Amino acid sequence: MSLTLVGIIGIGILLFILLFLGMPVGFTMGVVGFGGICLVISYKAALGMLGTELWNTFSSYSLTMVPLFVFMGEICFYSGLNRRLFKATHTLTGHVRGGLAMATVFACAGFAAICGSNTATAATMTAVALPEMEKYKYNPALSTGAIACGSTLGVVIPPSVVLIIIGLYTGQSITKLFYGGIFAGLVLATLFMVTIVILCVIHPEWSPAGTKKSLTEKIRSLPGFIEALVLFLLVMIGLYMGIFTPTEAGAIGSLCALLMSVVRRRLSWEGFTSAITDTLQISCMVLVIIGGAVIFSRFLAVTRIPFDIADWVSGLPVPPAAILTIIFVIYIIGGALMDALALLLITIPIFFPVAMKLGYDPIWFGVMITVITTLGAVTPPVGATTYVVAGMAKNVPLGSVFKGVTYFLPAYIISVAVLMLFPEIITFLPNLIR
Amino acid sequence: MEKVIEHLDRAVIVVNRGLIAIAGFLLVAMMVLACANVFFRTVWVPVKGTFELMGFFGAIVAAFALGRTQMKKEHIAVDVLILKFPRGVRLVLSGINYLVGMIFFSLAGWQAVKYGNNLWRVNELSETLRIVYFPFVYGVALGCGVISLVLLVDLIKLINNGNEVPR
C-alpha cells in the first residue's frame, strides 16, 4: 500500500471517528495519528513519539500564551467588563432607532478586543442586552441574532486564541496575524451595524428608539470604554513596538486586567477562582486538541500527503481564485459541522501548503479562514453561540434565534467577498510591522 | 458495586481538586514571572531561566487540568450525528470512546514516565538554569494517569448504570 493511500485512509478514519463515534477531537487526532505511525513506521516509534510529543506540546513556551490570554479574558468576564461596555454603548446610542442592537454589536466588538471567547460573550450579552431590548419591544429575532453574530467577533478581533494557534501551527508571526484581524473584524462589525440599519428602515417597528440620556450620564459611562481600550492598546502597542513577546503580552494583559478589577473592587474571590478554573479547562481543551493535531500532522507528514495534495491542486488547470473559493466553501461546510479550532487544526496541514503553493499571503489566508469559520459558530447544525443565546433567552424559541442569525448572513458573505477582493484590508497593518 | 463507584468518584474529585489548585497557583506564577521578566529586562537584566520555567509551569498547568476538563466534559467533540442515534447505540459509542481514550492516555502517561526515567538516569539538566526537569515530565505523566482514571470511572458508571454521562 502506498504512503499516499495510507494517508487518505487515515483522514477517512479520522472523519469517521469524529462524526460517527463522537470522540473528542483532540483524542481522535491523537489516536488516528498514533495508529497511522504504528502502521507506517513501527509500534515502537509511535509509542516513543506519544510521550515526547505530548511533553513537547505541553511544555512549549509559545503555547503558554494560550492560558495567559484566556486568563485575561476570563478576569474581564468575571469582573463584568462586558456589562459595563454594553452600558456605555447603550448610553450613547440607545436613543437611536436600532441603537440597542448596535450597542450590542459594538460592545461585543469591544469585549472581543480583550477576550477571545464567543460563548462567554454570548452568555453575558444575552443576560445584559436582551432584557433591555425586550423592554423596548425589539423584535426577538433581531435582538438575539445581533447578540449571536456580534459574539463571533471574539475570534476575529485580536487577541484571539484561534489566531494564536494558526500562527503557531503555520509558523507565521502572531503579532502580524493579530494586526491582520483588526480590520477584518471591523469590516464584519460594520456590516453587522449596516444590517441593523437596513432592518430598521424596512421594519421600523422592530427596533423602537429608547430614551435619550443626559450628558452627565454619557460622561459617567465612559470608564466602561476606557478599561477595554487600555487593555487592548497595551497589548497591541506593546507587540507592535516589540516591547514584549505575545506570551508576555498575555501575562501583562492578565496582570493589568486583574489589577484594574481589584482596584475598582469589581472582582470577588469567587470570581477570581472561577476565572482560574475556567482558564485551566479552556486551555487544557485547546492544548489537548493541539497535542492531538501535532501527532496527526506527524503522521500526515510521513505520508507526504499535504505536499502531494498541494502539488496536485496547484497543477490543476483552474484559476487559483477558483481553488481558493472551493477551499473556503469546505471551511464554511466544515465550520457548520465542528468547532472552528478543531476544524482549523485538522485542515491547516492540508490547505495551508495549497494556499502557499498558489501564491497567497499567509497572513491574509490565516485571517480569512478565521473569518469564514466563525460563521459556523452561528449556523446550524452546530452553531454553539446560537444555542447559548437560545438557551439563555427563555422567551425566544431556537427557531427565532436562527431566523435572526439569517438576517446577518449576507454581512458575513459580503465581508468575505470584500476581504477577497481587497486583501490589503488585512495585509496593510501587518506589512507595516518589520 | 455502587459503593465502589461512589468511593472512586469521590477519590477522583478530591485528586482533581488538588491538581487544579496546584495548576491555578502555577498559572498565576506564570503571569507574575513573565511580567517580572519584562520589567527587569527593561530596567536591568532579564530574569534568568524565564523561558524554560514558563514552559515547565505551562506543562503542569495543562496536564493537571486534564482530569477536571474530562469530568466537566469540556473536551470538544462533534456530536451532531451522535445525538440522532438511538439511546442504545449512543451508550455503546460512549463506552468505546471512554475505553479508547483511557488506553490512549494510559499509553501516553506510561511513555511520559519512561521519558522522565530516562532524563533522570542521564541527569539531564535544563539549558539555562541547569536544573533537573524530569519531575515536570512526571507531572505530565500524572495528568495523563488521572484523566485515564476519570475515563475509567466514566466507563464503569456507564456499564453499571446504563446511563450516559451528560455532555
Side-chain angles (χ1 to χ4, degrees), chain A residues 37-107:
Chain A
I37 292 175
C38 277
L39 190 70
V40 176
I41 305 177
S42 70
Y43 172 68
K44 212 174 163 187
L47 266 184
M49 181 207 60
L50 201 57
T52 46
E53 286 300 353
L54 207 62
W55 163 252
N56 289 340
T57 306
F58 282 9
S59 65
S60 154
Y61 171 77
S62 312
L63 282 173
T64 55
M65 78 179 84
V66 174
L68 292 171
F69 273 116
V70 174
F71 193 35
M72 172 174 139
E74 289 296 326
I75 291 169
C76 293
F77 175 70
Y78 279 100
S79 68
L81 183 59
N82 40 357
R83 287 170 187 270
R84 296 196 290 284
L85 258 172
F86 174 73
K87 207 176 155 195
T89 45
H90 172 197
T91 311
L92 291 181
T93 63
H95 61 284
V96 183
R97 194 177 285 281
L100 278 174
M102 285 189 238
T104 304
V105 172
F106 193 84

Side-chain angles (χ1 to χ4, degrees), chain A residues 17-27 30-31 34 43-44 47-52 54-56 58-61 64-65 67-68 71 75 242-245 247-248 250-255 258 272 275-277 279-285 287-289 292 295 336-339 341-342 381-382, chain B residues 19-21 23-25 27-28 30-32 34-35 37-38 41-42 50-52 54-63 65-70 72 74-82 85 93-94 96-97 100-101 104-105 107-112 114-115 119 133 136-137 140 144 147 151 167:
Chain A
I17 296 179
L18 276 180
L19 294 174
F20 293 98
L21 290 188
M23 188 184 283
V25 178
F27 299 10
V31 168
F34 173 74
Y43 172 68
K44 212 174 163 187
L47 266 184
M49 181 207 60
L50 201 57
T52 46
L54 207 62
W55 163 252
N56 289 340
F58 282 9
S59 65
S60 154
Y61 171 77
T64 55
M65 78 179 84
L68 292 171
F71 193 35
I75 291 169
I243 299 169
F244 38 68
T245 63
T247 300
E248 290 165 347
I252 287 175
S254 301
L255 187 66
L258 189 61
F272 178 64
I276 289 181
T277 315
T279 301
L280 293 174
Q281 284 175 194
I282 295 169
S283 311
C284 176
M285 176 267 288
L287 287 166
V288 165
I289 296 179
I295 295 172
L337 289 174
M338 67 175 79
D339 174 78
L341 185 64
V382 174
Chain B
L19 294 182
I20 283 292
F25 175 77
L27 173 70
V28 177
M30 278 164 65
M31 178 186 77
V32 173
C35 292
N37 186 40
V38 175
R41 190 174 62 213
T42 313
T50 301
F51 275 39
E52 55 192 38
M54 290 284 285
F56 297 155
F57 289 177
I60 299 299
V61 162
L66 278 169
R68 188 184 161 96
T69 310
Q70 175 58 30
K72 297 283 171 189
E74 289 278 339
H75 290 293
I76 292 174
V78 186
D79 51 9
V80 187
L81 287 175
I82 309 299
F85 292 164
L93 293 180
S94 294
I96 294 171
N97 284 345
V100 174
F104 177 74
F105 279 103
L107 285 175
W110 170 46
Q111 287 305 309
K114 276 180 77 176
Y115 182 52
L119 295 176
Y133 64 94
F136 296 102
V137 182
V140 171
C144 291
I147 189 177
L151 287 160
R167 279 206 74 82

